Amino acid sequence: MRWRLAIITYIALWLTSALAAYEEFHELLTFRPLSDGKLAARFTFTTSLNGTHPRDPSNLADEDQSQHYTVFPLALGQVLREYAVTELHLNLNAGKWDYDHWGYPDEPGVGTGAELWAWMGESATRSVDERWKGLRNALSGQFCASLGSLDDQRTTSPELTFRPEGSLPSSGGAHRLRHGTLPSEHVCTENLTPFLKLLPCKSLSGIASLLNPHRLFDTDWHGLSVHVRYLENEGIEVRLSFQSVFDPVRYTGGRRAWSLQSVFDRVIDRSCPVARSSEIRVAIPKEENNAQITPDFHNSDGEHAIFDVLNASKPLDVAMNWVNESAFDYNTVLSGVPLTHISVRRTLKGSSQSRGRLAVSITNNMPITIQTSYLESMPWLLQFYLHTLQVHSNGVSRDDLVSIVSCIPSVPHARPTLFQAILTLPPKSTLDISMDVIKPFLRYTEHPPDAQRGWDLPPAVLVPLLPANATVLTDHPELSLSEHKMDGFGYPIRSPRRMYTPVLLVDLATPDFSMPYNVIIMSCTLIALIFGMVFNLLTRKFTLVRVSSEP
Amino acid sequence: MANALGMYRTVKRLGIPDSNIILMLADDAACNSRNKFPGCVYPAAARDLDLYGDNIEVDYRGYEVTVENFIRVLTGRMDSSVPRSKRLLSDDRSNVFVYMTGHGGNEFLKFQDNEEISAFDIADAFEQMWQKKRYNEIFFMIDTCQANTMYSKFYSPNILATGSSKLDENSYSYENDMDLGISVIDRFTHYVLRFMESVNKTSQATMQDLFDMYDPDKFASHAGVRSDLFNRPIDQTLITDFFGGVSQAEVLAPEEEFYYSSTPEGGHQQESESFTHVDSATTSGAVKSNNDEIHGYSDLLSVVQDLQREPPKRDTTGLFRTWVSSGLMFALVAWVSMRK
Amino acid sequence: MALVLRAKFRRWLRGGDDGIAAKVRRKNQINDIIWKSLPSIRLSLLVAGYAWMLAIPLPNLGRNTYIDENALQPGQVNTYWNWPHVFRADRYLESLEQLRDQNSTNAEWAGYIKHEFRDLGIHVSTQSYHFTNASGEYNGTNVYAVLSSPRASGAEAMLISASRVSLNGNLNLRGIATVLSLAGYLKEYSLWSKDLVFVISDGYLEGMQAFITSYHGADEPNLDADPLTLSSGVIWTALNIDYPGHSFSHLGVFFEGLNGRLPNQDLINSFRLVSTYTGGVPVLLYDHRDPREVPHLESQLSIIPTWLPDVVKKQDAVREYGFRAKNILKHVGYQARGQTNGVHGLLHRFRIDAITLFAVPSSGPHGFHALGRVVESTLRTMNNLLEHLHASFFFYLLVKPGTFLKIGTYLPSVILVSVSMMFTGLGEWTDARWYEDLSKPKATDKSVAASGGIILLERPRPVLQALLIMLATHLAGVALFYIRTSGFAGLHPETTSLTLCALLALPPLFALIVRSSPSERSAPIASILKAANLCLASTVISVTSVLNFSLAAVLAVLLGVPLSYSSYKSALPAKIGRYAIYVGLGLGWLFCEKEVQRAIWNWEILGVWFAPFVCVVYTPLVLQAGIVSLLPS
């Protein structure tokens, strides 16, 4: 009898939990000490709406079903349904990600500024472009960012580089990608505020309470991102994430020890009651055995120390210390090998205001040949002369290493350039690509208010692809080029390792809008007039010409 | 920029939600990498009050701050895809507060570095608003050089205007922060803010009290007031008619308490006074706590009671007059407060 | 009476009864006045121009400098550079002195500096370079480090540099130590909006030239340099630190760049304010101290001639004039030759505003402490910039720190001289067209009487011959340039100079045997040549005046009078005498061996246009005037 009761209770419990699993909220904070003494922290808030589908774009004309959520962010849900967006990614970042010393980021979208891309199904009622415009404006209002200016002059569809991270529903029409970047957009408290409002516990409890804007925006790199994707058989998942790179050495004056208190100026006092799981994971450095993590952890997956915030004693302050290290020694790290498969540098050569040369040098750090896709999505402020494309590998011209997949030239005042190519990188060598570019003249009204600053150009994006020789891959698992790992809740994170180059600043020919130049022009005109008169008088001599036959 | 943020803080403190405030900031001073104190904007070199706080929503920022957008916000002529948060959703029962600051001159105010709005533009925009029944009353405040010239061209009814300095006068900055290397706030706004800190939602302070506070010696300029278009006596016009969201109690859903509690209201000395006042107004003694959440709640309580005790003295009798004051604020160029 | 006069005047204005004829008559009258007074007009213009030049240093000219770009906000910040950082700089200095005493190689220097940067946690790399020119080879290794500023995108950068050799020839050890210590100190802040690029360049100028041209991908024919492995964004401003002595009393600012480019004046002004008010260090232009401050050195420093009576010499206005004049002369000396006196000058061509802070060696009282604070505060100021320094603050003439002349107050001096030359040339050109008809009887016509009763007849002008002569001289100038910069000339400078001088000076003497044209029906070549020569010289001067005022001023002084008063109407001995003077003026520089070598080095390594300009423009212009004086009338 007892066991029957137990079974019934168990089944009842299981049923309730299964019903409650309709919406789930998970939160996770991971720390990763970096090789140069810095500390990468990533907050991930995952809300999943199980058993649902994105809105079918073909029904856009019909009245939408009503929306009721408990933990799923309603404000975002409304936008997604209004514009029938299948997959959406928004990144707002500040700083420059140092791939060589920090390795691949946990969230791949680390390009400076704002980046928005979405996959949307085609619809007869409202075209993809129309909905893209609406989506931009809606998100711009939602997140207090200038996303509305991601207009046609900045929108491209680089389908080679930005594959869907979830699945695209088979019903409905073909899906289209829209992608735009705003490299000069910054991220600040006004973006974090609406971000926090999307969370069920706001910033009141749980790990979200650590999101202290005064500390986060002082980090070397920081960015917030919103990812929406649809997973077949599971449902819609919204992942809000905040990633930052702290520099404990700067705060402490030489040491790299850190704690929640020291980096966020806060500790966790309460856990978020609606969270299904709430964890803090700290990566355990492999080479160094003097690293010490407090409080003691009982749970570990081998690579990380795992703290369960729901059950831990509060206030929780996770700390990490390196025993017997009085000052961090940079000398050993900075001379080390880069942590990524390839290293990329992109520069704009030449100081003239009419033309220049775009130079990209890509170093393959691996002992095998690898391929990488290369994307330039360039506003028409820089126009490529594709015929001047030169490819050198270690000083030797090698045109065979580049195969251009597509190139859509720009249209001034209307459309950006889209340049996609596949590059083959010989082992342990550097590939130098360079191309002449011209800088067009802008219309008077097209100059930004601070015209003399120049224009920020979006980053190039590279995605290292699987090497042709797959057997090498099994021998060296660290060479794996895309990350297929579980994120702790059983969801696979299928994020390819995109690499963003730093942004560039291009100096276009700018009229001097200042007063003194007007004065100079004015006085030059006057001088020219006076000179003309005098010249006229001096080069002519009036003499008397006798007319022979007088009337 | 601290000028506009100070006003933003005041109207928000007095109970107007972000959805009713349109904040335009051309500068990213808070998170600009030049800021030594990231995420903070201070109105004084003492750095005891952070105007940016943890909870702010900027509706127009950076290059979006243009004369065109400003006029569009006022007149409501927007593209259909512009979200609600970027619109001024007002009607003929709304009181609108417009605050502008930046570099200015005789009958103009500079926007960014390349354009300016003239006094005629604003006057026409207000007239259009009146015709389209987009406001009941407007309170216009401007802090710039020769600010009083900016409201000299108004001709629409029910506008009360004030400015920091008269023709051929500069507005001066209050003080410099030697760690940031910039002047942090202008004199006029500084003293107005100081006055506002003593005002709470139940305050009976009137516009006349505000204008009486004006002191040319302290401002180093002659602040002006224009009330000929305004058809109520200004000594009977409450500050909270424009700065306070008195009707808040009606529209708040219970969920909003959380939101409220996250506003950075506690902990400032000047405010504690106002809170004790609130406490005495409530019948329950349970609110005597320093907890932020309860503070926020006590605010709401006091508002409800306040309204119940004092019947509204508006012309439309028998009804709660919805005084949804909409603050419309505009800020420009914060780095330099040296005026020419 | 007045009414009558007015009516008369009106009628005169209207042209009397016969409108058109009167108008023509009046025009003729004006013309005649101008023509008659042309010699005096051009002379007065010339005199006015030269007088204006002399007036430039006057104490009542010039105005106080001000900050044009409001965003700069110089000197408005607290500085936190303090004794611990000075102590670190002292440690660096000790190690650097050891390197010096051990006669370390370039690679060892670079290795040490690289190690120190890496210890600070800043990405660092080295660049080896190799210059070859006629006179030798230059090798070296630069060390550069890029401090990526937190929070910023890395699209903009500021450059802080120190060259290993100071501009006074000593080793710039303290400059390097300052940069190293600053790098460690500045890293503690997260408020930089631009990346900080630190460059310790080898040699004096050549190291930075190798670095900056590689940075911008500019091709340099003589240079073989490693590509850079670290990159940053667009460099906006740069500070070069030059601290050769033990301690310093003043900070001198050096600002002239290659080919006479100047940095935006806001940079100099900001630095001056910061140095004076934040650092408490007085600022000098160059290393030129005010003689009035150091009475015991007054005789050395002052340029006021000693033979002047004390009454004049001790006048404050005179001393002020002398002080300003010496500043201006130094400026002209640097700018006219297009040469730079510090690493900063190499950066201007890439649109980088740069200056050198020169710690004027002295026995005190300032050291690392003051310099660090000044640099820190100046960097904060430059950090405030939201856009390039752009207002037209590139035209200025600094007469002393804190006082400058606007373009309108100095440019006309040169323009006046140039206008005078243009008038002379045009007058000569018009004159050559007419000759006096002596055969016909004098006319009695009214209008003819107005022009002196002389009948003028038109004649052809031999333009082609004159232009060919000019072309030949310029071609000779090109040849002169190539020969003088060749390897042979580098080995035997004196022989080459003599030969060249002879080769260029002798052929024009053939002009002596040219017969004068038999009749007056054709204008003399000499007059056409003189006209063309003057017009060309005038154009060169006025065009140069906005590009490089100092060069234009020097040209105006050297060419103004000699070219205007070249004459072909003299006897043979006088002709030869005149010609000798022109040859001396045009080719005499060949024997200033040191100057020539420096100009050639500047051209070959740094690309300074002064040497080719002198050979191809200046010398031919003077030779043309010489040929004018040789040709028959």
Side-chain angles (χ1 to χ4, degrees):
Chain A
M1 207 59 200
R2 269 257 173 97
W3 59 272
R4 270 191 196 166
L5 190 70
I7 286 177
I8 291 168
T9 326
Y10 182 78
I11 290 172
L13 274 174
W14 183 80
L15 273 176
T16 16
S17 64
L19 282 173
Y22 182 67
E23 282 177 52
E24 276 181 25
F25 175 67
H26 299 272
E27 50 181 23
L28 171 69
L29 168 61
T30 50
F31 287 104
R32 187 160 60 96
L34 301 172
S35 69
D36 60 352
K38 298 198 167 68
L39 172 73
R42 177 177 69 140
F43 294 81
T44 320
F45 306 96
T46 315
T47 314
S48 43
L49 198 59
N50 291 344
T52 48
H53 301 275
R55 190 173 179 190
D56 189 346
S58 51
N59 305 336
L60 268 172
D62 309 338
E63 182 78 7
D64 195 19
Q65 68 196 61
S66 59
Q67 299 172 57
H68 296 289
Y69 309 117
T70 46
V71 291
F72 191 85
L74 175 70
L76 196 61
Q78 282 172 336
V79 172
L80 294 175
R81 292 205 70 87
E82 168 75 21
Y83 301 107
V85 180
T86 308
E87 187 165 323
L88 168 84
H89 299 269
L90 167 69
N91 302 307
L92 275 171
N93 303 324
K96 186 166 74 170
W97 189 272
D98 183 356
Y99 284 95
D100 282 359
H101 299 96
W102 300 349
Y104 291 107
D106 296 328
E107 292 287 343
V110 294
T112 308
E115 181 186 35
L116 175 69
W117 52 289
W119 281 89
M120 289 181 281
E122 278 188 351
S123 155
T125 4
R126 290 173 74 192
S127 73
V128 171
D129 283 317
E130 197 183 325
R131 276 152 42 203
W132 167 247
K133 184 183 174 197
L135 177 69
R136 267 165 13 208
N137 282 322
L139 289 175
S140 143
Q142 177 93 51
F143 289 103
C144 293
S146 319
L147 298 173
S149 44
L150 278 175
D151 51 6
D152 294 344
Q153 295 187 26
R154 295 192 169 262
T155 303
T156 54
S157 318
E159 301 194 357
L160 185 69
T161 307
F162 295 92
R163 305 302 306 160
E165 290 183 6
S167 32
L168 302 176
S170 44
S171 63
H175 277 72
R176 294 276 171 261
L177 170 69
R178 290 292 176 269
H179 174 268
T181 46
L182 270 183
S184 51
E185 190 69 9
H186 56 267
V187 50
C188 198
T189 317
E190 66 258 26
N191 309 113
L192 186 65
T193 307
F195 176 88
L196 288 174
K197 283 181 183 169
L198 296 178
L199 299 176
C201 296
K202 311 285 186 269
S203 65
L204 295 173
S205 60
I207 61 170
S209 60
L210 297 174
L211 286 168
N212 175 1
H214 300 111
R215 286 308 179 92
L216 292 173
F217 296 120
D218 191 25
T219 54
D220 283 28
W221 189 94
H222 48 262
L224 57 86
S225 55
V226 178
H227 306 274
V228 180
R229 59 177 178 166
Y230 166 67
L231 294 168
E232 195 109 49
N233 306 324
E234 288 175 32
I236 297 171
E237 178 198 276
V238 171
R239 194 170 84 247
L240 300 167
S241 140
F242 196 101
Q243 191 169 229
S244 52
V245 176
F246 291 87
D247 188 0
V249 183
R250 169 153 59 88
Y251 303 142
T252 58
R255 300 180 66 243
R256 53 174 163 158
W258 58 268
S259 65
L260 293 186
Q261 180 69 42
S262 78
V263 294
F264 297 114
D265 198 22
R266 286 179 188 174
V267 292
I268 299 180
D269 290 317
R270 274 166 296 180
S271 51
C272 176
V274 294
R276 176 59 69 86
S277 73
S278 177
E279 285 181 358
I280 296 179
R281 297 175 169 222
V282 183
I284 306 168
K286 281 181 201 137
E287 284 87 25
E288 299 161 298
N289 46 17
N290 59 343
Q292 199 180 55
I293 300 172
T294 52
D296 289 341
F297 55 95
H298 309 293
N299 200 352
S300 164
D301 63 355
E303 292 177 358
H304 296 89
I306 301 175
F307 296 91
D308 183 1
V309 178
L310 292 178
N311 300 317
S313 62
K314 312 283 182 329
L316 176 65
D317 183 10
V318 179
M320 194 168 179
N321 191 14
W322 278 262
V323 183
N324 299 329
E325 188 184 81
S326 58
F328 179 63
D329 181 18
Y330 285 105
N331 231 327
T332 51
V333 223
L334 291 183
S335 50
V337 285
L339 297 174
T340 46
H341 301 96
I342 56 175
S343 311
V344 191
R345 272 187 313 121
R346 186 174 68 145
T347 45
L348 194 58
K349 305 278 190 194
S351 54
S352 128
Q353 290 190 327
S354 58
R355 52 185 62 240
R357 198 162 178 81
L358 185 72
V360 185
S361 86
I362 305 161
T363 307
N364 181 359
N365 301 321
M366 293 285 117
I368 49 166
T369 299
I370 51 180
Q371 285 195 319
T372 170
S373 77
Y374 170 53
L375 163 74
E376 285 281 3
S377 166
M378 187 64 77
W380 58 271
L381 304 168
L382 212 60
Q383 294 167 4
F384 294 162
Y385 274 154
L386 205 58
H387 67 279
T388 61
L389 184 76
Q390 287 180 0
V391 184
H392 291 274
S393 173
N394 287 354
V396 185
S397 176
R398 290 285 300 274
D399 285 345
D400 55 314
L401 297 180
V402 173
S403 66
I404 296 172
V405 176
S406 66
C407 181
I408 303 172
S410 61
V411 175
H413 315 284
R415 187 177 74 185
T417 307
L418 175 67
F419 176 74
Q420 297 183 98
I422 300 281
L423 313 175
T424 310
L425 307 172
K428 291 277 176 198
S429 68
T430 302
L431 194 70
D432 291 303
I433 304 172
S434 66
M435 187 170 14
D436 281 354
V437 291
I438 53 164
K439 306 173 182 177
F441 278 107
L442 299 190
R443 290 179 190 143
Y444 172 66
T445 48
E446 280 169 337
H447 285 282
D450 45 358
Q452 295 284 343
R453 178 175 185 272
W455 291 79
D456 285 302
L457 299 177
V461 187
L462 290 97
V463 183
L465 303 171
L466 279 172
N469 189 353
T471 53
V472 186
L473 195 69
T474 47
D475 297 343
H476 303 275
E478 77 275 9
L479 298 186
S480 163
L481 290 165
S482 64
E483 216 172 6
H484 283 277
K485 69 172 184 193
M486 303 300 207
D487 65 355
F489 314 113
Y491 296 119
I493 293 182
R494 277 195 289 154
S495 52
R497 290 176 153 165
R498 289 194 300 272
M499 293 181 73
Y500 292 78
T501 64
V503 297
L504 295 174
L505 193 68
V506 61
D507 196 13
L508 299 181
T510 315
D512 194 311
F513 297 104
S514 67
M515 190 66 198
Y517 263 88
N518 298 341
V519 176
I520 290 173
I521 289 166
M522 177 79 186
S523 40
C524 284
T525 315
L526 275 178
I527 289 172
L529 283 174
I530 295 169
F531 179 79
M533 273 160 51
V534 175
F535 182 83
N536 209 5
L537 272 177
L538 277 183
T539 49
R540 282 196 293 180
K541 204 162 191 173
F542 295 93
T543 54
L544 200 75
V545 181
R546 225 176 280 276
V547 185
S548 53
S549 57
E550 275 183 333
Chain B
M1 185 160 127
N3 290 351
L5 286 170
M7 285 297 155
Y8 172 78
R9 193 193 113 81
T10 303
V11 292
K12 210 163 147 179
R13 182 174 62 85
L14 293 175
I16 296 179
D18 266 328
S19 56
N20 283 15
I21 305 174
I22 293 175
L23 180 61
M24 301 174 110
L25 290 177
D27 248 330
D28 59 337
C31 290
N32 193 296
S33 48
R34 294 166 181 84
N35 189 347
K36 198 170 180 180
F37 308 98
C40 305
V41 174
Y42 296 109
R47 291 196 287 274
D48 49 358
L49 176 64
D50 174 21
L51 295 177
Y52 224 66
D54 298 346
N55 190 336
I56 186 166
E57 289 187 10
V58 181
D59 301 292
Y60 288 82
R61 67 174 187 180
Y63 296 157
E64 288 179 325
V65 181
T66 57
V67 173
E68 181 186 331
N69 278 347
F70 176 66
I71 301 282
R72 281 186 187 282
V73 165
L74 288 181
T75 55
R77 295 170 184 267
M78 295 274 197
D79 192 271
S80 59
S81 62
V82 173
R84 288 170 63 87
S85 67
K86 290 188 159 191
R87 291 164 183 260
L88 178 67
L89 302 164
S90 58
D91 57 21
D92 60 344
R93 306 206 302 172
S94 310
N95 280 6
V96 181
F97 166 53
V98 182
Y99 175 83
M100 305 178 87
T101 182
H103 285 277
N106 189 1
E107 293 178 2
F108 73 88
L109 176 76
K110 269 183 94 169
F111 269 54
Q112 308 274 14
D113 247 357
N114 60 347
E115 54 180 0
E116 57 257 344
I117 191 168
S118 79
F120 298 93
D121 296 338
I122 300 187
D124 292 342
F126 282 169
E127 174 62 18
Q128 209 177 113
M129 287 174 77
W130 176 251
Q131 307 262 349
K132 293 172 80 178
K133 296 194 171 23
R134 284 176 62 80
Y135 73 84
N136 173 47
E137 285 171 350
I138 287 182
F139 179 44
F140 179 82
M141 185 184 270
I142 182 161
D143 185 356
T144 175
C145 300
Q146 317 191 21
N148 299 357
T149 57
M150 280 301 280
Y151 59 68
S152 57
K153 304 297 170 209
F154 291 169
Y155 54 91
S156 316
N158 292 350
I159 300 180
L160 180 62
T162 180
S164 61
S165 52
K166 63 183 187 186
L167 184 63
D168 296 331
E169 249 183 10
N170 286 352
S171 279
Y172 291 100
S173 61
Y174 180 64
E175 61 181 344
N176 256 24
D177 186 326
M178 290 301 277
D179 272 327
L180 295 172
I182 50 166
S183 23
V184 283
I185 199 165
D186 291 342
R187 281 161 185 271
F188 175 76
T189 306
H190 172 83
Y191 287 106
V192 170
L193 276 186
R194 224 198 224 179
F195 176 81
M196 290 298 174
E197 289 293 303
S198 67
V199 173
N200 69 3
K201 264 184 272 183
T202 57
S203 163
Q204 296 299 311
T206 64
M207 285 294 165
Q208 191 62 49
D209 297 337
L210 172 67
F211 300 147
D212 287 345
M213 183 269 303
Y214 288 179
D215 179 356
D217 292 338
K218 282 197 283 188
F219 292 180
S221 60
H222 290 83
V225 177
R226 183 173 174 202
S227 54
D228 55 330
L229 298 169
F230 200 64
N231 56 13
R232 276 199 288 159
I234 53 176
D235 55 358
Q236 284 169 31
T237 311
L238 298 184
I239 298 273
T240 49
D241 284 351
F242 291 99
F243 286 82
V246 180
S247 65
Q248 281 280 302
E250 291 183 315
V251 289
L252 277 184
E255 195 194 13
E256 293 289 301
E257 284 167 36
F258 277 115
Y259 157 71
Y260 234 86
S261 60
S262 59
T263 54
E265 294 209 326
H268 304 301
Q269 295 205 332
Q270 283 170 306
E271 269 173 286
S272 60
E273 198 180 276
S274 63
F275 278 124
T276 44
H277 180 67
V278 169
D279 284 349
S280 64
T282 53
T283 47
S284 156
V287 289
K288 281 236 169 202
S289 155
N290 277 329
N291 189 308
D292 274 355
E293 282 183 52
I294 303 183
H295 255 166
Y297 191 54
S298 71
D299 257 359
L300 298 182
L301 263 183
S302 68
V303 170
V304 177
Q305 292 198 342
D306 187 33
L307 290 173
Q308 282 167 349
R309 273 193 285 112
E310 278 183 64
K313 46 192 176 194
R314 311 274 173 259
D315 42 339
T316 50
T317 48
L319 271 173
F320 268 130
R321 181 72 198 251
T322 43
W323 278 97
V324 184
S325 298
S326 300
L328 173 76
M329 323 204 345
F330 184 80
L332 261 183
V333 190
W335 289 117
V336 201
S337 304
M338 300 277 288
R339 295 288 149 81
K340 279 188 176 172
Chain C
M1 186 64 201
L3 273 175
V4 175
L5 269 180
R6 209 157 77 189
K8 264 192 176 171
F9 181 68
R10 270 204 189 139
R11 211 166 54 232
W12 179 79
L13 265 187
R14 254 203 323 274
D17 310 320
D18 185 3
I20 296 170
K23 248 183 203 165
V24 170
R25 215 175 293 132
R26 197 165 68 236
K27 217 167 194 173
N28 264 351
Q29 277 171 359
I30 296 175
N31 219 24
D32 271 349
I33 294 168
I34 290 185
W35 268 108
K36 275 199 190 118
S37 52
L38 187 61
S40 50
I41 288 179
R42 48 182 251 226
L43 183 68
S44 53
L45 280 175
L46 212 54
V47 170
Y50 288 130
W52 196 320
M53 275 186 213
L54 285 177
I56 284 176
L58 281 181
N60 30 6
L61 268 182
R63 54 179 295 179
N64 291 340
T65 53
Y66 57 94
I67 302 288
D68 190 67
E69 171 66 87
N70 283 325
L72 280 171
Q73 306 265 300
Q76 304 251 350
V77 288
N78 292 326
T79 52
Y80 293 96
W81 168 272
N82 219 322
W83 295 109
H85 312 111
V86 174
F87 178 75
R88 273 225 301 263
D90 284 330
R91 296 284 81 72
Y92 288 128
L93 180 64
E94 278 168 20
S95 313
L96 290 169
E97 278 170 343
Q98 254 175 18
L99 283 172
R100 177 194 60 190
D101 297 339
Q102 291 162 356
N103 279 332
S104 304
T105 59
N106 289 343
E108 281 168 347
W109 281 87
Y112 167 75
I113 296 166
K114 185 176 177 182
H115 179 270
E116 291 303 326
F117 269 119
R118 189 176 284 157
D119 242 7
L120 294 169
I122 301 173
H123 302 318
V124 60
S125 182
T126 55
Q127 182 203 29
S128 299
Y129 63 87
H130 177 81
F131 276 107
T132 33
N133 78 340
S135 56
E137 298 185 353
Y138 303 88
N139 294 307
T141 310
N142 296 321
V143 186
Y144 61 99
V146 177
L147 173 56
S148 297
S149 58
R151 306 193 262 157
S153 67
E156 304 146 37
M158 300 189 276
L159 191 141
I160 300 135
S161 68
S163 57
R164 217 169 85 196
V165 179
S166 160
L167 60 92
N168 69 0
N170 297 336
L171 283 180
N172 181 20
L173 298 185
R174 282 185 167 75
I176 300 175
T178 313
V179 172
L180 279 170
S181 184
L182 264 173
Y185 166 67
L186 300 178
K187 190 173 183 285
E188 294 166 19
Y189 288 95
S190 67
L191 49 74
W192 303 111
S193 64
K194 307 167 184 23
D195 283 0
L196 297 171
V197 181
F198 301 96
V199 181
I200 307 291
S201 60
D202 209 340
Y204 172 41
L205 297 176
E206 57 272 18
M208 180 55 92
Q209 174 74 356
F211 173 80
I212 203 70
T213 49
S214 310
Y215 193 93
H216 289 95
D219 284 332
E220 289 296 308
N222 298 321
L223 170 68
D224 179 23
D226 295 348
L228 302 181
T229 52
L230 296 177
S231 61
S232 182
V234 179
I235 302 174
W236 283 11
T237 45
L239 281 187
N240 178 46
I241 297 166
D242 201 327
Y243 182 7
H246 177 266
S247 41
F248 62 93
S249 55
H250 295 71
L251 281 173
V253 53
F254 284 83
F255 53 94
E256 289 90 356
L258 295 186
N259 294 319
R261 277 175 186 258
L262 298 179
N264 195 299
Q265 203 200 333
D266 268 342
L267 184 62
I268 303 169
N269 297 345
S270 314
F271 160 69
R272 191 186 68 83
L273 287 176
V274 166
S275 179
T276 320
Y277 298 110
T278 303
V281 188
V283 173
L284 298 180
L285 284 188
Y286 321 110
D287 48 356
H288 176 218
R289 299 189 62 181
D290 191 341
R292 285 165 291 181
E293 284 175 15
V294 270
H296 61 282
L297 288 175
E298 184 157 4
S299 54
Q300 278 178 319
L301 289 172
S302 176
I303 57 162
I304 305 168
T306 39
W307 44 261
L308 279 175
D310 265 4
V311 190
V312 180
K313 255 196 312 192
K314 296 285 181 216
Q315 285 272 336
D316 201 49
V318 174
R319 295 164 88 186
E320 176 73 20
Y321 182 90
F323 174 59
R324 289 176 173 217
K326 192 169 172 190
N327 277 331
I328 293 170
L329 284 179
K330 281 196 160 201
H331 170 73
V332 169
Y334 294 133
Q335 203 194 12
R337 286 180 290 181
Q339 83 179 36
T340 175
N341 29 37
V343 167
H344 65 274
L346 310 169
L347 311 177
H348 294 164
R349 69 183 259 225
F350 300 105
R351 215 181 160 209
I352 303 169
D353 290 305
I355 52 172
T356 288
L357 313 186
F358 180 66
V360 181
S362 154
S363 53
H366 302 295
F368 285 132
H369 188 252
L371 184 62
R373 288 181 57 188
V374 169
V375 175
E376 181 196 352
S377 189
T378 313
L379 286 175
R380 284 290 296 275
T381 295
M382 284 152 51
N383 187 47
N384 281 342
L385 274 182
L386 295 170
E387 43 187 327
H388 272 288
L389 286 167
H390 58 88
S392 57
F393 241 33
F394 296 93
F395 302 116
Y396 56 89
L397 190 63
L398 278 176
V399 290
K400 66 176 191 181
T403 310
F404 78 112
L405 292 187
K406 285 187 141 186
I407 183 166
T409 40
Y410 65 84
L411 198 68
S413 59
V414 167
I415 297 293
L416 285 177
V417 175
S418 151
V419 166
S420 155
M421 292 168 75
M422 179 63 81
F423 282 6
T424 317
L426 291 178
E428 193 76 36
W429 165 254
T430 319
D431 267 348
R433 190 176 174 192
W434 307 97
Y435 68 100
E436 215 173 304
D437 191 358
L438 301 171
S439 57
K440 296 246 169 85
K442 291 208 173 179
T444 51
D445 195 289
K446 213 164 63 173
S447 62
V448 175
S451 59
I454 305 162
I455 295 171
L456 295 171
L457 290 182
E458 210 173 338
R459 61 183 176 181
R461 290 172 285 196
V463 178
L464 194 63
Q465 288 94 317
L467 288 186
L468 277 177
I469 293 175
M470 288 176 76
L471 188 67
T473 54
H474 287 287
L475 285 178
V478 174
L480 164 72
F481 175 66
Y482 275 105
I483 295 169
R484 190 59 192 83
T485 52
S486 66
F488 178 80
L491 294 175
H492 313 281
E494 272 134 46
T495 334
T496 327
S497 294
L498 269 176
T499 324
L500 279 174
C501 195
L503 278 177
L504 282 167
L506 294 178
L509 289 175
F510 284 106
L512 284 175
I513 54 173
V514 175
R515 294 280 103 220
S516 75
S517 55
S519 73
E520 285 191 322
R521 293 294 167 97
S522 163
I525 300 179
S527 76
I528 303 297
L529 182 61
K530 183 180 175 185
N533 171 240
L534 277 169
C535 290
L536 179 62
S538 161
T539 316
V540 166
I541 290 174
S542 42
V543 168
T544 320
S545 67
V546 275
L547 298 174
N548 185 340
F549 172 74
S550 304
L551 183 58
V554 170
L555 285 180
V557 170
L558 289 180
L559 300 181
V561 176
L563 262 57
S564 298
Y565 292 93
S566 62
S567 163
Y568 44 91
K569 290 170 183 158
S570 48
L572 187 66
K575 273 182 190 265
I576 300 221
R578 274 171 181 272
Y579 182 66
I581 293 172
Y582 284 116
V583 168
L585 190 65
L587 292 167
W589 53 266
L590 271 171
F591 300 97
C592 305
E593 192 46 43
K594 251 177 134 176
E595 275 302 316
V596 173
Q597 260 173 15
R598 182 154 60 181
I600 291 175
W601 190 89
N602 277 343
W603 160 250
E604 286 176 333
I605 306 293
L606 308 178
V608 175
W609 282 95
F610 183 63
F613 182 84
V614 168
C615 291
V616 179
V617 179
Y618 167 75
T619 301
L621 281 175
V622 181
L623 283 182
Q624 285 156 24
I627 294 172
V628 167
S629 62
L630 286 181
L631 281 170
S633 57

